[in-house]
Amino acid sequence: MLSAIEVPFTDLSAMTREVWPDIEHTFTEALLAARYVGGPAVAGFEENFARYCDTPHAVGVANGTDALQLTLQALGIGPGDEVVVPSNTFIATAAAVVRAGAIPAFVDVDPDTLLITPEILAAAITRRTSAVVVVHLYGNMPDMDGLVAVAERHGIALVEDAAQAHGAEWRDRRAGSFGAAGCFSFYPGKNLGAFGDAGAVVTSDAALAGRIRSLANHGRDGGANHYEHTFVGTNSRLDALQAIALDAKLARNEAWTDARISFADRYRKELAGSNIRLTEVDPLARHVYHLMVVRVADRARIQAELAKRGIQTGVHYPVPCHLQPPLRRYAGGPLPVCEQAAGEQLSLPLFPHMSRAQVDRVCEVLDEVSAR
Ligand SMILES: Cc1ncc(COP(=O)(O)O)c(C=O)c1O
């Protein structure tokens, strides 16, 4: 039998409780004024989020998957194009490539960071490669200098999947500001999460931002004529209520991120020297700890033992993309690091409103249930 939850995996309502007094009035006003889609709340959030990411433009969209798909489409990537994708990621990264009509070329990851490296990217490029999606998984960032250099040398587009990396940095530069575009998810559980689904693309390319905005709004050109369409687009707009919630949370995101980092540092300190393997962080990266991922040999047992003591954990992700049934046809062969990590990864509780005592409790139980 499972005991009462002592340490939850996350606590989204604590974030809502913190922002609600600030937004209650604006939220109700927007509702009663029937300003649901687009408008000043969305424009205001886009401006603030672009500034947060050190980029001139942000386009709000309906979710992170659309952010990726629309970016690839707006870059002209489609049938016949290969897009390099690390297999250790959420399926949406690869699904967006397939939905854009292109072919995901799955690659392995570095055994210490579990992220793509410049060497892995360089080795995967063929004549058909037109882009790479670099994933800042867990909130950590790979060697962006090296990755950008490889992409430039081969003339391919670099798209950042920053769905888990709001505010992450490489050499003091924000995630999303390195590639042709950075794609974000504001799914409620993300570091910056909406009250439902939402997403955004940031870029320094005004023309690209315009094409994405148009594709996300039925191909409209943004002019006065509501029924003039330049492209066959889709409906993937950010709604005003989500923008109001996101703007209030954005104002707190640095404080919430600092809290995540300090809890992660404590985990690292407490678990150092144990047989729990930590994922490594390059000293040039600011890891924003969307997830606190460790690796354990005996995951099912350890997860069950933790659950018995009221500690919730997650697995991100149990099956690498190239082994997911709908994507197996794109697999080029085994990817040993991804495959091994999928069997060992364990995400520990980590959220801004947790307590130090909760981190210590997780470490104490981990220590007890994992043989040193
Ligand atoms: C790495 C990664 N890419 C893409 C996505 C897709 O974002 P969304 O769920 O908002 O479509 C997510 C989150 O779910 C993610 O974690």
Side-chain angles (χ1 to χ4, degrees):
M1 218 190 55
L2 300 185
S3 55
I5 294 170
E6 200 183 322
V7 189
F9 184 63
T10 190
D11 182 0
L12 303 186
S13 42
M15 291 166 139
T16 304
R17 277 196 297 276
E18 193 179 319
V19 296
W20 187 244
D22 289 358
I23 61 172
E24 190 175 4
H25 180 70
T26 333
F27 210 80
T28 314
E29 240 183 14
L31 264 177
L32 296 178
R35 284 195 302 264
Y36 303 124
V37 178
V42 172
F45 170 69
E46 286 176 337
E47 201 181 312
N48 292 336
F49 191 63
R51 194 175 317 114
Y52 182 79
C53 296
D54 298 333
T55 53
H57 311 282
V59 181
V61 295
N63 54 66
T65 312
D66 282 2
L68 287 161
Q69 184 186 334
L70 295 172
T71 296
L72 293 169
Q73 286 173 331
L75 286 167
I77 292 159
D81 292 321
E82 271 177 19
V83 178
V84 177
V85 176
S87 189
N88 183 39
T89 181
F90 180 55
I91 193 168
T93 314
V97 172
V98 174
R99 290 179 57 79
I103 300 156
F106 290 117
V107 291
D108 217 347
V109 290
D110 176 79
D112 296 322
T113 60
L114 300 177
L115 305 176
I116 192 171
T117 66
E119 295 71 30
I120 291 171
L121 172 60
I125 292 175
T126 70
R127 274 185 302 110
R128 295 204 300 171
T129 308
S130 51
V132 55
V133 183
V134 172
V135 186
H136 306 318
L137 203 66
Y138 321 129
N140 194 10
M141 287 186 74
D143 171 3
M144 293 308 292
D145 300 313
L147 288 162
V148 167
V150 174
E152 280 177 357
R153 193 160 68 242
H154 291 272
I156 63 168
L158 187 153
V159 173
E160 294 172 69
D161 180 341
Q164 302 189 359
H166 318 74
E169 291 173 1
W170 174 262
R171 271 189 207 279
D172 299 328
R173 249 179 80 187
R174 287 274 155 107
S177 69
F178 290 86
C183 302
F184 289 86
S185 165
F186 304 128
Y187 177 74
K190 295 293 194 261
N191 285 22
L192 179 61
F195 290 170
D197 279 311
V201 181
V202 299
T203 179
S204 50
D205 181 338
L208 181 67
R211 285 198 299 280
I212 294 168
R213 193 179 290 288
S214 174
L215 284 171
N217 189 20
H218 300 295
R220 290 190 175 103
D221 67 2
N225 190 342
H226 195 65
Y227 294 106
E228 210 159 86
H229 306 272
T230 315
F231 305 105
V232 173
T234 185
N235 176 0
S236 182
R237 296 171 301 226
L238 179 63
D239 74 64
L241 296 176
Q242 302 306 345
I244 291 168
L246 286 166
D247 226 13
K249 286 187 169 187
L250 183 62
R252 287 164 172 83
N253 210 49
E254 280 312 286
W256 287 350
T257 301
D258 287 344
R260 285 179 186 276
I261 293 171
S262 79
F263 293 131
D265 286 346
R266 184 146 188 101
Y267 270 124
R268 286 184 175 278
K269 194 166 145 269
E270 293 294 310
L271 297 174
S274 73
N275 59 359
I276 310 278
R277 186 171 175 191
L278 298 159
T279 48
E280 281 182 21
V281 188
D282 192 295
L284 296 175
R286 180 196 193 208
H287 187 333
V288 292
Y289 289 99
H290 173 55
L291 295 168
M292 177 73 207
V293 172
V294 297
R295 274 175 286 172
V296 289
D298 196 4
R299 183 177 65 207
R301 185 187 63 78
I302 289 181
Q303 204 175 16
E305 293 283 356
L306 289 167
K308 255 197 250 165
R309 290 161 174 80
I311 296 169
Q312 287 183 329
T313 54
V315 174
H316 302 88
Y317 295 91
V319 181
C321 288
H322 69 289
L323 298 182
Q324 288 285 358
L327 296 175
R328 270 193 202 147
R329 55 190 282 239
Y330 302 106
L335 299 172
V337 180
C338 289
E339 287 165 33
Q340 183 167 352
E344 299 177 346
Q345 285 168 326
L346 181 68
S347 306
L348 303 179
L350 185 69
F351 51 98
H353 295 83
M354 76 189 298
S355 68
R356 217 173 206 240
Q358 285 178 313
V359 176
D360 291 350
R361 176 69 184 144
V362 177
C363 295
E364 186 184 289
V365 175
L366 264 177
D367 191 51
E368 207 180 296
V369 301
S370 64
R372 290 222 173 211

